[in-house]
Amino acid sequence: EPPAATRLGEVAAPTLVVAGAHDVADFGAIADRLAAEIPNARKVVLDTAHLPGLERPAELNALLLDFLATGGT
């Protein structure tokens, strides 16, 4: 308590928010909120639906490796 959704501004870790351009609207809204409320979060929208790891694994892996290599900057 309080719910995590009300404490997003407290997240101190580098955060990568990955969303699918063709996912349902609710998930896009959640990604928008996470990116807006988590300090210094980075949001990337891939040309996928709900499962970017299955739909575009090479693209997602490259994105994740770059994020990790740069420390999330």
Side-chain angles (χ1 to χ4, degrees):
E1 290 294 327
T6 65
R7 296 181 289 122
L8 294 174
E10 298 174 21
V11 175
T15 303
L16 177 64
V17 178
V18 179
H22 308 290
D23 205 344
V24 295
D26 288 348
F27 286 101
I30 291 167
D32 289 343
R33 180 175 178 194
L34 291 171
E37 295 186 26
I38 295 173
N40 302 312
R42 185 170 79 169
K43 179 183 163 194
V44 177
V45 178
L46 299 179
D47 187 23
T48 66
H50 188 66
L51 300 170
L54 294 177
E55 297 172 51
R56 295 192 182 266
E59 186 176 350
L60 180 63
N61 287 342
L63 177 67
L64 293 172
L65 289 171
D66 178 64
F67 181 78
L68 293 171
T70 62
T73 59

